[in-house]
Amino acid sequence: MTPKDFVFETILDNEALLAIDLRLPAGVTGPIKRPIRNALLIGIEDGTGVVMVEGDGAPRFAPIARGRVDWLGAGKLEVRQGHGFFGRALLVEARALPYPGGIARTFGDRVLFARDEICVYEEVIGPSQARLMHNHGPRLVVCLTSLNTRNTLPDGEKFEVHREAGSVTWIARVVTHEVMNIGAEPFWCVVVEHP
């Protein structure tokens, strides 16, 4: 693999969105450039890296920081190495997130960003805590910590979900469930879906 392959690794590419893993290995100083449109940046691991976006107006800079969410919009993205470990971020370009008409939904613990056709929110559930029965539309889930849950569906069926910190998952359907954290630590996710 070339250094460029490490920087822009496509991990999801469908009609709803494009998700690209941003990592910059030691020794690659950058800057590395890429055009973007309707994009946001989600920090997955803290680092010293930074992205610069040139679009309308003056250039804007965003650090690579776990849990940080920045709306980038459209323009040119430039990825730059800092003085140490770059970190890790997910570049998400929203194309056409499906609208789950007719269902009431919850948007986690806190909405981080919302526009006409995109909502980004965080979910944080402590050990042995539950989020009672609720609905989600099709969505992208970015785990900032490990996730260990027991899900209960409306018909009473139960199943467990285990994901590692840094995992990125596209769930293409409407889901109604209750979620209990069966892990020893709180879990923290950033979620992207249609508002």
Side-chain angles (χ1 to χ4, degrees), residues 123-132 145-152 159-163 178-189:
E123 293 267 9
V124 180
I125 300 178
S128 302
Q129 291 183 337
R131 174 118 337 121
L132 299 179
T145 61
S146 295
L147 177 143
N148 297 288
T149 64
R150 180 176 304 114
N151 292 279
T152 305
F159 62 93
E160 292 184 3
V161 175
H162 304 279
R163 294 191 183 120
E178 176 180 293
V179 177
M180 173 171 274
N181 181 354
I182 58 173
E185 300 292 330
F187 76 74
W188 180 22
C189 296

Side-chain angles (χ1 to χ4, degrees), residues 49-65:
V50 67
V51 299
M52 180 186 77
V53 177
E54 291 183 291
D56 295 334
R60 294 178 293 126
F61 294 85
I64 303 301

Side-chain angles (χ1 to χ4, degrees), residues 15 29 47 54 58 61 81 90 158 178 186:
E15 64 282 348
T29 58
E54 291 183 291
F61 294 85
Q81 185 71 272
L90 188 70
K158 296 178 188 288
E178 176 180 293

Side-chain angles (χ1 to χ4, degrees), residues 66-88:
R66 185 172 85 144
R68 182 179 171 118
V69 175
D70 288 284
W71 176 252
L72 305 177
K76 290 184 210 169
L77 177 76
E78 195 171 283
V79 178
R80 299 177 177 192
Q81 185 71 272
H83 298 288
F85 175 67
F86 174 80
R88 181 178 172 208

Side-chain angles (χ1 to χ4, degrees), residues 64-122:
I64 303 301
R66 185 172 85 144
R68 182 179 171 118
V69 175
D70 288 284
W71 176 252
L72 305 177
K76 290 184 210 169
L77 177 76
E78 195 171 283
V79 178
R80 299 177 177 192
Q81 185 71 272
H83 298 288
F85 175 67
F86 174 80
R88 181 178 172 208
L90 188 70
L91 176 67
V92 178
E93 290 188 5
R95 293 175 172 159
L97 289 166
Y99 176 69
I103 65 164
R105 291 172 289 145
T106 59
F107 294 106
D109 296 293
R110 183 169 63 115
V111 173
L112 303 172
F113 176 82
R115 290 180 64 94
D116 293 338
E117 297 189 359
I118 188 170
C119 181
V120 182
Y121 59 92
E122 66 181 3

Side-chain angles (χ1 to χ4, degrees), residues 33-60:
K33 300 176 183 182
R34 180 185 197 289
I36 58 170
R37 63 181 180 83
N38 208 29
L40 64 109
L41 186 72
I42 301 170
I44 296 176
E45 294 177 19
D46 288 332
T48 62
V50 67
V51 299
M52 180 186 77
V53 177
E54 291 183 291
D56 295 334
R60 294 178 293 126

